[in-house]
Amino acid sequence: MRDKFAFSSGVPDMHETLSSFSEQFRDGPPKPEIKPETAKESERTDEPKCGWFWFRPMYLQQFRTAKWALFWLCWTGAMQGMVVNGFVNVVITTIERRFGLRSSQTGLIAGGYDIASFLTLVPVSYLGGRSKASKPRYIGIGVVVLGLGSLLFASPHYIAGPYRGGQQSENICQRVTNTSSRSLSCNGSVGQIDQEPYSGLYLTIFLMAQLLHGAGSAPFYTLGVTYLDENVSKKMSSVYVGIFYTMAIIGPALGYVVGGELLKLYTDFITVDPSEIGLTPNSNVWVGAWWIGFLAAAVICFVIAIPILAFPAALPGSEKLAKERVSEAHQKPEQPSSSDRGEAFSKIRELPRALTDLLGNPGFFMLNLAGASEGLLIAGFAAFLPKLIENQFNVSPSSAALLMGLVTVPAGGGGTFLGGYLIKRFNLPCSGILKFCLLATASCIAFTLCFVLNCPNLNFAGVTVPYSDQTKKSFSLDSTCNNGCGCSRSEFSPICGVDGITYYSPCHAGCYQGTRINNVEVYSDCTCIREPPINLTTGGNVISYEAINTTCNTSCSYLWPFITLAFCNMFITFLCTMPALSATLRVVRDDQRSFALGIQWIKVRILGTIPAPMVFGALIDDTCILWNGTCDGGGSCLVYDNLYMSRYMLALAFIGKAASLLFFFLAWWTYIPPNRRVTQNSREEPTTTLMLNDTQHEGPTTPATINPIIDP
């Protein structure tokens, strides 16, 4: 047949011509030649653009890069940490004093973030994690919700009206015939001074604001990390994510420092000069401008949301990175083909089996319990350690917040970084990591002794020390020296007498005269103070006074030793976070890592971070020895028992660390490395090694699939 189609000499063979023609059409019909400029224009047309709705100008497309996405995501992480872990923890004591809340109630407020995050993280992660979903859109909406929560958190400042506490000059002793005329009254009579009508309203507002904080922050550390990972190379992914988490650690530190400085401003500084009412930041009834930080955070969040919402669902080059990632993933054995619906149904049916398999892993189960006990301590002390420092060592709220900020950055950030570095530096196997966590937790128990350091209780007349006419068993704020003054319990204005004793108010000290000297209130003619007055020369005049409008200082020098030991405790605690996470990933199979982290996250929230603030707050309330009663039966605590507060915190820290030590030990004790399993099986059956090599990709029941992770 071939000879029939042959031409004479000098003419190409028809068979060769057809073969050449078929080679050109093997991959389809010939495509028109596209110039480089036209190719770039078509590529730009197909790629998603930056912008909002239909407004997507070309000059915005230069910001469509992973670096700009990282820049704005770093702002979201910093703002979340600053608001939730910074501002909220700083103002706990202040809002208790301002709105008559108890520590158990503010603990519920602090736990509201984890409650909302727990309820919204799963649906947000699922919906936002779909291939066609726009992750920046979910993140941007989350930033807006975070800003709304901050705006709502600051709203009680405007609802409650001006703060009128601490006006000592109006609370001096006045001789009255009816001593009950100035007592606490809830019907609008004279005795009602600065009593909030219903503290439950403010509790509800604060709780709703924290729920918005938790719901808004849900997509940050799930979709945000995924978005960065999808749009950068595998080599640069860890760098981008590391920068993002670094800003998330710096945020709480900035919140402590900035929030503490704002507390030095008077809460109504716009309309009231605190010097006119004799108040200073060191006054016991001082209420700082707690609300400014939340308003500023709300404005910044609304601004940040604008560029984040402009980012497309995928950045240029993400498709190429996805193909490379898929090609690596295809190194796994191919699964039998099935329809999408059948595959999804199969995964749903396998969910109980996967959950049972994880819960039956003793090492994973014990690591979860260790994480829950550590989370309980971290969440509890993050919320109430500033309050502990403030009351135990008699420092101002701004100073306590500054100390927390100085401790949090090097201890939290440095411990987290060093823990991950040591694991990678020494290339520890899983059993070595568990031993590392075990030894670090054991050494950390010694530093819980910092809570043994407690200062003596404040000498408070009628509370911790009796009046001169009282016995040690019959403490009361009422005495014969102030019996005719008609003092009101609603007017808490502590003063310090020359006898070194703090009195509930000038009225309770029996003081009949008050004078303002250099914006400081001094009092004289105090019948309850037995010590001779102090003479003060000012403006050429000699003034004698017996009390000043502040609480007495305590002779306690344990503050800096406590800060040092607390720093060591926090540093070692965070030193175990990355190793414990790495151990969690190593004790489970490769195909169960994501599911294992989700299960661990649920356990840590339910058993640790959600109940922690409420447990700590209830125990702190139990140490209160003087309450400021309100009309609705609530009220904040005015004086705490330092000894019992110290012992309660010591018990919580010691029990929590001991539980972590036990769980880390059980995780190490029950963990069986894959090599040991192979050795044990090889003794029983010589062909086990060959069988493992042949079947190591067959299914989840093969022990050889549990391989240690080289890079944590």
Short mmCIF file of all heavy atoms in Angstrom, two decimals, residues 225-257:
data_model
loop_
_atom_site.label_atom_id
_atom_site.label_comp_id
_atom_site.label_asym_id
_atom_site.label_seq_id
_atom_site.Cartn_x
_atom_site.Cartn_y
_atom_site.Cartn_z
N VAL A 225 -3.76 31.98 58.48
CA VAL A 225 -2.57 31.15 58.28
C VAL A 225 -2.69 30.36 56.98
O VAL A 225 -1.73 30.23 56.22
CB VAL A 225 -2.38 30.21 59.49
CG1 VAL A 225 -1.25 29.23 59.24
CG2 VAL A 225 -2.10 31.02 60.75
N THR A 226 -3.88 29.84 56.70
CA THR A 226 -4.08 29.08 55.47
C THR A 226 -3.90 29.95 54.24
O THR A 226 -3.32 29.53 53.24
CB THR A 226 -5.49 28.45 55.47
OG1 THR A 226 -5.67 27.70 56.66
CG2 THR A 226 -5.67 27.54 54.28
N TYR A 227 -4.39 31.18 54.30
CA TYR A 227 -4.25 32.10 53.16
C TYR A 227 -2.79 32.41 52.87
O TYR A 227 -2.36 32.45 51.70
CB TYR A 227 -5.01 33.39 53.47
CG TYR A 227 -5.12 34.34 52.30
CD1 TYR A 227 -5.94 34.06 51.22
CD2 TYR A 227 -4.38 35.53 52.28
CE1 TYR A 227 -6.04 34.93 50.14
CE2 TYR A 227 -4.47 36.41 51.22
CZ TYR A 227 -5.31 36.11 50.15
OH TYR A 227 -5.39 36.97 49.09
N LEU A 228 -2.00 32.61 53.91
CA LEU A 228 -0.57 32.84 53.71
C LEU A 228 0.10 31.59 53.13
O LEU A 228 0.93 31.68 52.22
CB LEU A 228 0.10 33.23 55.03
CG LEU A 228 -0.26 34.60 55.61
CD1 LEU A 228 0.40 34.79 56.96
CD2 LEU A 228 0.16 35.71 54.66
N ASP A 229 -0.25 30.44 53.66
CA ASP A 229 0.38 29.20 53.21
C ASP A 229 0.05 28.89 51.75
O ASP A 229 0.88 28.34 51.03
CB ASP A 229 -0.06 28.05 54.11
CG ASP A 229 0.62 26.74 53.74
OD1 ASP A 229 1.84 26.63 53.95
OD2 ASP A 229 -0.06 25.84 53.22
N GLU A 230 -1.14 29.26 51.31
CA GLU A 230 -1.55 28.97 49.94
C GLU A 230 -0.89 29.89 48.92
O GLU A 230 -0.80 29.53 47.74
CB GLU A 230 -3.08 29.10 49.81
CG GLU A 230 -3.85 28.02 50.54
CD GLU A 230 -5.34 28.27 50.50
OE1 GLU A 230 -5.74 29.38 50.08
OE2 GLU A 230 -6.11 27.38 50.89
N ASN A 231 -0.44 31.05 49.35
CA ASN A 231 0.04 32.05 48.41
C ASN A 231 1.53 32.32 48.50
O ASN A 231 2.02 33.29 47.89
CB ASN A 231 -0.73 33.37 48.62
CG ASN A 231 -2.19 33.25 48.24
OD1 ASN A 231 -2.54 33.28 47.07
ND2 ASN A 231 -3.04 33.11 49.24
N VAL A 232 2.26 31.51 49.24
CA VAL A 232 3.72 31.61 49.28
C VAL A 232 4.29 30.21 49.11
O VAL A 232 3.58 29.20 49.25
CB VAL A 232 4.23 32.24 50.60
CG1 VAL A 232 3.72 33.66 50.74
CG2 VAL A 232 3.81 31.41 51.80
N SER A 233 5.56 30.15 48.81
CA SER A 233 6.21 28.86 48.62
C SER A 233 6.32 28.12 49.95
O SER A 233 6.20 28.70 51.03
CB SER A 233 7.60 29.06 48.02
OG SER A 233 8.43 29.80 48.91
N LYS A 234 6.56 26.84 49.85
CA LYS A 234 6.68 26.02 51.05
C LYS A 234 7.85 26.46 51.91
O LYS A 234 7.78 26.43 53.14
CB LYS A 234 6.85 24.55 50.64
CG LYS A 234 6.94 23.60 51.82
CD LYS A 234 7.07 22.16 51.34
CE LYS A 234 7.17 21.20 52.52
NZ LYS A 234 7.33 19.80 52.07
N LYS A 235 8.92 26.92 51.27
CA LYS A 235 10.09 27.35 52.01
C LYS A 235 9.82 28.63 52.79
O LYS A 235 10.30 28.80 53.91
CB LYS A 235 11.25 27.57 51.03
CG LYS A 235 12.54 28.00 51.68
CD LYS A 235 13.64 28.17 50.66
CE LYS A 235 14.94 28.62 51.31
NZ LYS A 235 16.02 28.80 50.31
N MET A 236 9.03 29.54 52.21
CA MET A 236 8.76 30.82 52.86
C MET A 236 7.54 30.80 53.75
O MET A 236 7.28 31.76 54.47
CB MET A 236 8.58 31.91 51.79
CG MET A 236 9.83 32.19 50.98
SD MET A 236 11.18 32.79 52.04
CE MET A 236 10.47 34.30 52.68
N SER A 237 6.77 29.73 53.72
CA SER A 237 5.54 29.67 54.50
C SER A 237 5.83 29.81 56.00
O SER A 237 5.16 30.57 56.70
CB SER A 237 4.81 28.36 54.22
OG SER A 237 3.67 28.24 55.03
N SER A 238 6.82 29.08 56.49
CA SER A 238 7.13 29.14 57.92
C SER A 238 7.60 30.52 58.33
O SER A 238 7.31 30.99 59.45
CB SER A 238 8.19 28.10 58.26
OG SER A 238 9.38 28.33 57.52
N VAL A 239 8.29 31.23 57.43
CA VAL A 239 8.76 32.59 57.73
C VAL A 239 7.56 33.53 57.86
O VAL A 239 7.47 34.32 58.82
CB VAL A 239 9.72 33.08 56.65
CG1 VAL A 239 10.16 34.51 56.92
CG2 VAL A 239 10.93 32.17 56.56
N TYR A 240 6.65 33.47 56.92
CA TYR A 240 5.47 34.34 56.95
C TYR A 240 4.61 34.05 58.19
O TYR A 240 4.17 34.98 58.88
CB TYR A 240 4.64 34.15 55.68
CG TYR A 240 5.13 34.97 54.51
CD1 TYR A 240 6.38 34.75 53.95
CD2 TYR A 240 4.34 35.97 53.96
CE1 TYR A 240 6.84 35.50 52.89
CE2 TYR A 240 4.78 36.73 52.88
CZ TYR A 240 6.04 36.48 52.35
OH TYR A 240 6.48 37.24 51.30
N VAL A 241 4.37 32.77 58.45
CA VAL A 241 3.54 32.41 59.60
C VAL A 241 4.24 32.80 60.91
O VAL A 241 3.61 33.25 61.87
CB VAL A 241 3.21 30.91 59.58
CG1 VAL A 241 2.47 30.49 60.84
CG2 VAL A 241 2.38 30.58 58.34
N GLY A 242 5.57 32.66 60.94
CA GLY A 242 6.31 33.05 62.13
C GLY A 242 6.20 34.54 62.42
O GLY A 242 6.04 34.95 63.57
N ILE A 243 6.28 35.36 61.38
CA ILE A 243 6.12 36.81 61.56
C ILE A 243 4.71 37.13 62.04
O ILE A 243 4.51 37.98 62.92
CB ILE A 243 6.43 37.53 60.24
CG1 ILE A 243 7.90 37.33 59.85
CG2 ILE A 243 6.10 39.02 60.34
CD1 ILE A 243 8.25 37.91 58.50
N PHE A 244 3.73 36.44 61.49
CA PHE A 244 2.34 36.66 61.90
C PHE A 244 2.14 36.34 63.38
O PHE A 244 1.53 37.12 64.13
CB PHE A 244 1.43 35.80 61.02
CG PHE A 244 -0.02 35.88 61.39
CD1 PHE A 244 -0.69 37.08 61.42
CD2 PHE A 244 -0.73 34.73 61.72
CE1 PHE A 244 -2.04 37.15 61.76
CE2 PHE A 244 -2.06 34.77 62.06
CZ PHE A 244 -2.72 35.99 62.08
N TYR A 245 2.68 35.22 63.84
CA TYR A 245 2.52 34.84 65.24
C TYR A 245 3.35 35.73 66.16
O TYR A 245 2.98 35.94 67.32
CB TYR A 245 2.90 33.37 65.43
CG TYR A 245 1.76 32.42 65.19
CD1 TYR A 245 1.58 31.81 63.95
CD2 TYR A 245 0.83 32.14 66.19
CE1 TYR A 245 0.53 30.95 63.72
CE2 TYR A 245 -0.22 31.28 65.96
CZ TYR A 245 -0.38 30.69 64.73
OH TYR A 245 -1.43 29.84 64.50
N THR A 246 4.46 36.26 65.67
CA THR A 246 5.24 37.18 66.48
C THR A 246 4.45 38.44 66.79
O THR A 246 4.45 38.93 67.93
CB THR A 246 6.55 37.54 65.76
OG1 THR A 246 7.30 36.35 65.52
CG2 THR A 246 7.37 38.50 66.60
N MET A 247 3.76 38.98 65.80
CA MET A 247 2.92 40.14 66.03
C MET A 247 1.76 39.81 66.96
O MET A 247 1.33 40.66 67.76
CB MET A 247 2.38 40.67 64.71
CG MET A 247 3.44 41.30 63.82
SD MET A 247 4.27 42.68 64.61
CE MET A 247 2.88 43.81 64.84
N ALA A 248 1.27 38.58 66.91
CA ALA A 248 0.20 38.18 67.82
C ALA A 248 0.69 38.12 69.26
O ALA A 248 -0.11 38.30 70.20
CB ALA A 248 -0.35 36.81 67.40
N ILE A 249 1.98 37.87 69.48
CA ILE A 249 2.55 37.87 70.83
C ILE A 249 2.84 39.29 71.30
O ILE A 249 2.67 39.62 72.48
CB ILE A 249 3.82 37.01 70.87
CG1 ILE A 249 3.48 35.54 70.59
CG2 ILE A 249 4.53 37.13 72.21
CD1 ILE A 249 4.69 34.64 70.51
N ILE A 250 3.26 40.17 70.37
CA ILE A 250 3.56 41.55 70.74
C ILE A 250 2.27 42.30 71.10
O ILE A 250 2.29 43.20 71.95
CB ILE A 250 4.30 42.25 69.60
CG1 ILE A 250 5.68 41.60 69.41
CG2 ILE A 250 4.45 43.74 69.85
CD1 ILE A 250 6.47 42.16 68.25
N GLY A 251 1.16 41.92 70.50
CA GLY A 251 -0.11 42.61 70.75
C GLY A 251 -0.50 42.66 72.21
O GLY A 251 -0.79 43.76 72.74
N PRO A 252 -0.54 41.54 72.95
CA PRO A 252 -0.90 41.62 74.37
C PRO A 252 0.05 42.49 75.19
O PRO A 252 -0.40 43.20 76.10
CB PRO A 252 -0.83 40.15 74.82
CG PRO A 252 -1.04 39.36 73.59
CD PRO A 252 -0.42 40.16 72.48
N ALA A 253 1.35 42.44 74.87
CA ALA A 253 2.29 43.28 75.60
C ALA A 253 1.98 44.76 75.39
O ALA A 253 2.00 45.56 76.34
CB ALA A 253 3.72 42.95 75.15
N LEU A 254 1.68 45.15 74.14
CA LEU A 254 1.30 46.53 73.88
C LEU A 254 0.00 46.88 74.60
O LEU A 254 -0.16 48.01 75.08
CB LEU A 254 1.14 46.74 72.37
CG LEU A 254 2.42 46.67 71.53
CD1 LEU A 254 2.09 46.81 70.06
CD2 LEU A 254 3.40 47.74 71.97
N GLY A 255 -0.90 45.92 74.67
CA GLY A 255 -2.15 46.16 75.38
C GLY A 255 -1.93 46.43 76.85
O GLY A 255 -2.56 47.34 77.43
N TYR A 256 -1.04 45.68 77.48
CA TYR A 256 -0.74 45.91 78.89
C TYR A 256 -0.11 47.29 79.10
O TYR A 256 -0.49 48.03 80.01
CB TYR A 256 0.20 44.82 79.42
CG TYR A 256 -0.50 43.55 79.81
CD1 TYR A 256 -0.28 42.37 79.10
CD2 TYR A 256 -1.38 43.51 80.89
CE1 TYR A 256 -0.91 41.19 79.45
CE2 TYR A 256 -2.02 42.34 81.25
CZ TYR A 256 -1.77 41.17 80.53
OH TYR A 256 -2.41 40.01 80.88
N VAL A 257 0.87 47.62 78.27
CA VAL A 257 1.59 48.88 78.46
C VAL A 257 0.70 50.08 78.14
O VAL A 257 0.58 51.01 78.95
CB VAL A 257 2.86 48.89 77.59
CG1 VAL A 257 3.57 50.24 77.71
CG2 VAL A 257 3.81 47.78 78.02
#
